[in-house]
Structure formats: structure tokens, C-alpha cells
Amino acid sequence: MTETSVLDEWKSGWLLVVAAGFGIALGSVQVYSTGVFIQPLEEEFGWSRSAITGGMLISSIMGVLFSPLFGYLVDRWGARALAIPGVATLCAGYALLSLAGPAIWTWWALWFIIAVGSLMVKPTVWSTAISAHFVKGRGFALAVMLCGTGLGSAAIPPLSYTLIEAYGWRGAYLGIAAIFFVIVMPVIWRYFHDARMQKPDPDAAPRPAVTGWTAREGYRKRQFYQLVTAAFVITGVLVGFIVHILPMLEAGGLERETAVYIVGLTGVMSIVGRLTVGYLFDRLPGPPVGAVSVALPIPAAILLLMFPGDFAASVAAILFLGLAIGGEYDSVIYLSTRYFGMRAYGTLFGFVASGLLAGVGLGPIVAGAIYDSTGSYDLYLYLAIALAALVALLLATLGRYPDHE
């Protein structure tokens, strides 16, 4: 038997990457659709923006509390055992949001179902399966997988807007749930697997050895805490941007329809950012690549502060934001695989996933609360600049990869 090459990994694993990418796209629906639903929910029920985005906080709190447990279950049962019921639960949750109102507690209660589904399709599930299959081409494979988020950010806002205009916000949630279930479930069922849970084929190329830190070793490493902190902070910054970018552009003076299609550019640029960062990770030291990618919200925020309502500046800010979205997830996940290894990856990354999900819930709440109290997003943009700089420093100082061999 010969050593597995990058080409061999892709020949046997490309459908796995596609399936994981579909799962990632499904998991991004709550992030990229909620901002489009804010206006119709405000108009019908009079709920505040912070109250509406509070649903995402419920999902993030559940993630913070239970992601380490679900990471342990990924290590014990395999990624597929969580992915399939997770897809079904999450699609059911999106459909049930159509029943919310008029009391805000009904909206929050339904988000508990989404929270449970999200735990079963969190990044740990998809990245574990990809990292178990790919070694030499892991950075690019994870990048391609994460392009599912880019496709989601490009397609979900205009899809949500179109469905709302045609069927109202209740019909839009039903439509989103049905479309994603019909597309995603068959692909996951057929092609998504966890190589660690399969019996080895004696005629196939050798699989990568399962090496890395144990959970106990990981808890003693500073890189573990730097990655958990970086995941929480940068995700909060970016998801706050993503959920509020449409109202943010409208507040600056852009027409709603124009703003919707400008926001769609984030998807295209996030794909460019992911593929570029993934390619660089396989060829250059990871920490500086990650540091640059998470610093990109800084020019986006500066442009929005200096040129509010300007079309060209808004487009440029969206381009920077899209590149940042593309690099942030890839950086956190790829660097976690390299520092943690695969021995207890699910368990250790479960805490990173807690940070990611805490950011998903808290970022929109902070941005909404700032707007509700000041009538402007300016303070949030200043805060985003400072926090993105902090995360860049955390990644830049991770140090050399450990030798897990």
C-alpha cells in the first residue's frame, strides 16, 4: 500500500465534503434569515429587535451548555448518528416558527426546538467527519465544506425576502423548512459518514492514525483557551454584523430592496475567502493566516462609519465582511484540528463550539440592544473594530503546531 495523496483523499471523499457543505448551509439558515424577518415581525407584533434576536440567544445558551456533551457524543457515536436526526429536527423547528405570536414568549419557546436541532448539526459534527478523512488536503477540504455557509449567505436572504413578499412571514418559514429538508436530507443520508466509525478496508489506502491531545491534556494548554475565546469573540462580532447588516444599511439610507441584494454579495465573497484561506492553510503557517482573516471586519466597520448610506462604500464594506465570514470559521476549525489532533477532537472542539454558539446568540443581542438604546449602530461598529483586533492577536500568538505523531 502507498501513502494516501491529496488526490486520493479527494477521489474517495469529495461527496462527503459536498454532504457536509449542505449540512453547514442548513445550520446557517437561522443566522442569514433572521435579519430579513425582523421588519415583518416588528410590524405585526411590535416586538423590539433585541427581543426578536433573543431567539438566537436561546439557541446559543443551549449550545454553550451542551456543546461539550454533544462533542463527546460525536467521539463516542460518530458524526452521522447526530447529523441525520439533527437535520430533521432543525427543519421542523424552522417550520414551527410560522406558529409564533402574538406573545413574544411563543417565539422564544419555538427557538428551543431550533436549539436542539442546532446542537446535532453544529460544526463539530461536520468538521470531525472531514478531518477524519482528510489529512494532507484538510485545510482546503474544510474550506470547501464551509462554502456551504457562503452559499447560504448568498441564497437565504433573497430567498427569505422573496418568500415573505409572496406568502408572508409565516409562509416563508414553512417554505424555507420544506426546501432545505428536501434538498439536504437525501444527500446527508446517502453520502455523509464518519471514517472513524467504519471498518477499515484492507485493500484501500491506509487511513490517518488517530493522534492528538487527550481531553485532559487539552484542558492544560493555553492554545485551547485562546481558540475558545477567539471563537466566541469573532463569531459574536460577525453574526452581529450578519443579522443586523440589512437594518444597518437601511438606517444609513439605502433602499430595502437594494440593501437586500448588496447583502447577498457576502455569500460570494465568503466563498472566495474560504477557498483562499483553506488553500493558504495547507501551504503556510496557520496562525498568521488566521490572524489576517479575522481582522477583516475592521475595514468593513470603518467604511460604514465614515460613509453611511454611500452605495460604493456599502458594497466595499460587504466585500470585506464576506471575506471575513469566509476566513473566520475556517480559521477556528482548521487551527483546532491542528492543535487538538483527532484523539479527543469532538470533546475539545465541543468547547470551541460553545464559544461559537455563544457568539451567535450574544452578538445580535448586543447589536440590537445598542440600536434600541441609541438609535444607531455606530457604537456597535466601534466595538467590532476593537474586538476584531483582539481576536487577530489571539490567533497570531498561538505558536507552532504540536507534533502529535
Side-chain angles (χ1 to χ4, degrees), residues 80-169:
R80 178 180 171 87
L82 274 71
I84 291 174
V87 168
T89 303
L90 196 53
C91 288
Y94 293 141
L96 289 171
L97 285 179
S98 65
L99 303 177
I104 188 63
W105 67 263
T106 62
W107 171 258
W108 293 336
L110 291 169
W111 272 89
F112 276 100
I113 300 172
I114 292 177
V116 174
S118 296
L119 281 166
M120 291 187 280
V121 298
K122 60 194 178 71
T124 311
V125 172
W126 315 112
S127 61
T128 297
I130 296 299
S131 299
H133 185 89
F134 288 85
V135 176
K136 292 188 174 180
R138 183 182 294 170
F140 195 70
L142 287 170
V144 174
M145 175 195 82
L146 291 168
C147 284
T149 304
L151 294 174
S153 65
I156 292 167
L159 173 64
S160 301
Y161 176 77
T162 300
L163 290 174
I164 289 170
E165 291 295 304
Y167 305 108
W169 68 268

Side-chain angles (χ1 to χ4, degrees), residues 340-390:
F340 301 165
M342 297 307 299
R343 189 183 305 277
Y345 174 75
T347 302
L348 291 171
F349 191 79
F351 288 91
V352 178
S354 290
L356 292 169
L357 292 170
V360 167
L362 191 59
I365 288 287
V366 170
I370 287 173
Y371 180 86
D372 290 340
S373 61
T374 68
S376 169
Y377 287 105
D378 286 0
L379 180 58
Y380 175 77
L381 294 173
Y382 285 116
L383 182 63
I385 292 170
L387 294 178
L390 171 63

